[in-house]
Every structure is written in structure tokens, then in C-alpha cells.
Amino acid sequence: MKHLEGKRIFVTGAGGALGRASSLLFAREGAAVAVVDISTEAAEETRRLVEAAGGSAVAITADVRDEAQVRDAATTAAKELGGVDTLFNNAGVMPHQDESFLDGDLDLWHLISSINLDGTMLCSKHVVPHIVAAGGGAVLNMSSFLAVLGCSFPQDGYAASKGAISSLTRSMAVQLGPKGIRVNGMAPGPVLTEHVEQFFPDPEARRVRLERVPLGRFGHPDDVAGLASFLVSDSAAWITGQVVVLDGGISSNYL
């Protein structure tokens, strides 16, 4: 049995590694997917991959910082999919220039927040009414394990935005529960994508980080997709207001 059969899922940042892996798994599990990305080319590629695997998808170009574009994307998704009952707020940035607040650049801080936090709010604002119209469903927000613990390799703009998303997740869950909508977050640790690889500039930097991982490896995009698929499925029907850490045990490890 396909765990997401009949679901209609709006995925932001669907052209990136985590959004693409999640969209592909959602489709394999029976969902129709609106793959939304700021890059038309990236969104179309995810759509092509979903359809090549036998799934159903529509590609939509939108900048999550632009309320008009988000509103139009939500309307288009609902029209093309026959409604929307699930939202995965995955779009986000983690710039390599983001370091300690002591050296913080305010423009970079605002850029990170505008995409990660404001984008999550705007997509929720305009997609949730469609979920209400569908009779309920689920919202999943992308946080980070850096919202749970500090790091000796600071990324303070990113961490602050993700901490805010975790708090927003709990508030959304309280507000939307009576409407039949579950809201959860996920907080991944280091997941090896091409972008994250660049945070490990040499073997020693990689070794230091890997020593913190009890399971002995970094995450993969499919690890994120697997948790996302569970949290938006009916198997998680009595889970809401939670931010689930997915980090191979890093946050449990005191060295």
C-alpha cells in the first residue's frame, strides 16, 4: 500500500537536493506533487524526474519572499492538482559566508531570514487556506539541528532563522489543530549535498565533525525524504507540534 495515496503536496525548494528527493518519494508513495522553486529549470527537472518514475507533478516557479508569487503559486497548485492538502516548507538558504554574529553582515542576516523564515510564513499563509478547504491535512516545516544546539563552527543567521521556524511550528500546530491540520518540523543535522560538502574544506574538518556522529556517517537526502514522508502521512496522525531531530545522534553526544 502506498502511504501517501491521494495526497496533494505543495513542496517549496523542490529543485534542490532535499526537496527533489522528498518530491520523488512523495510521488512514489502515491502523492501528486506541486514542485515549487525559484529556478524554473530546477523545478522542471524535478517534475521530469517525478514523471519519468511514473508519478504526477506540476512545476511552478515562485520566489517564496514574494507574496504575490506565493499566492499565485498556491492558486495554481490547487487548480492543477484539484486541491492541496499538504505543505512542505522546505525552501531555504545556508550561505557559506554566514558565520558568527560578531562578524555578522546585516544584509546577509536579512537575506537568510527573508527566505527561511518569511518564506515559511508566506507559503503557510497562502497554502493553508487550501488545506482547510480540502478538509484538513498536514504542514511540515524545515528547521535544523542548529536550532537545538550551538556549534563551534557558527552559522548564526541560519541558526536564528531555524530557531524561529521551530517556534512558529509549535504556534501553528496549536492554531491549526482544531481545523484538522497537523503541523510538525524536522531538524536535520549535516546532510551531504554538494552545497554542504563545501563546509568541509579539508579532511581534518570533516573528521572533527564526523566524530560527533554516533551512527558514523553524515546524512543523505533520502534520510530527509523518509522522515518527511512519514510526518505528512496518516501514519503520523496523532503527531503535531513536534520538531523531530534527524542527526545521526549528534545532539545526544557529549564529547
Side-chain angles (χ1 to χ4, degrees):
M1 177 181 175
K2 294 184 176 181
H3 296 296
L4 299 176
E5 192 71 50
K7 301 289 187 186
R8 297 157 298 178
I9 306 180
F10 188 101
V11 182
T12 66
L18 305 187
R20 180 168 291 167
S22 298
S23 296
L24 285 165
L25 182 56
F26 293 163
R28 287 198 299 271
E29 290 291 344
V33 188
V35 293
V36 183
D37 201 274
I38 193 172
S39 165
T40 300
E41 181 180 358
E44 288 290 349
E45 177 62 10
T46 298
R47 179 196 60 78
R48 185 191 69 77
L49 291 169
V50 167
E51 293 182 347
S56 176
V58 57
I60 301 173
T61 305
D63 183 339
V64 298
R65 298 169 295 180
D66 186 310
E67 185 163 11
Q69 290 186 35
V70 170
R71 183 189 301 110
D72 290 347
T75 300
T76 298
K79 179 180 178 181
E80 294 292 329
L81 301 182
V84 175
D85 50 52
T86 307
L87 166 62
F88 182 18
N89 279 312
N90 167 70
V93 293
M94 184 173 60
H96 294 112
Q97 309 96 295
D98 180 29
E99 297 181 345
S100 169
F101 71 94
L102 293 169
D103 303 305
D105 176 85
L106 194 57
D107 289 338
L108 181 62
W109 179 280
H110 287 160
L111 173 66
I112 295 168
S113 181
S114 70
I115 298 171
N116 295 0
L117 179 57
D118 298 354
T120 295
M121 184 276 286
L122 287 173
C123 290
S124 300
K125 176 181 178 180
H126 292 288
V127 176
V128 163
H130 292 285
I131 301 177
V132 172
V139 176
L140 178 60
N141 295 329
M142 181 64 83
S143 184
S144 168
F145 82 133
L146 292 181
V148 177
L149 73 168
C151 183
S152 54
F153 300 93
Q155 297 163 263
D156 286 339
Y158 176 80
S161 71
K162 294 301 186 177
I165 288 171
S166 291
S167 292
L168 178 62
T169 296
R170 290 182 283 269
S171 183
M172 289 174 63
V174 173
Q175 295 176 63
L176 298 180
K179 300 179 184 297
I181 301 174
R182 299 182 301 104
V183 185
N184 291 296
M186 60 190 309
V191 176
L192 283 189
T193 63
E194 183 177 342
H195 180 77
V196 171
E197 288 269 13
Q198 296 175 40
F199 283 98
F200 310 137
D202 58 65
E204 178 61 15
R206 179 183 291 256
R207 183 194 65 77
V208 168
R209 289 168 171 83
L210 193 56
E211 279 188 350
R212 292 296 307 272
V213 189
L215 289 183
R217 68 169 176 86
F218 296 114
H220 303 304
D222 285 345
D223 295 319
V224 172
L227 179 58
S229 179
F230 168 70
L231 288 174
V232 302
S233 77
D234 292 340
S235 296
W238 211 48
I239 302 175
T240 195
Q242 304 304 305
V243 179
V244 182
V245 177
L246 175 70
D247 68 355
I250 295 172
S251 55
S252 300
N253 187 17
Y254 175 69
L255 284 178

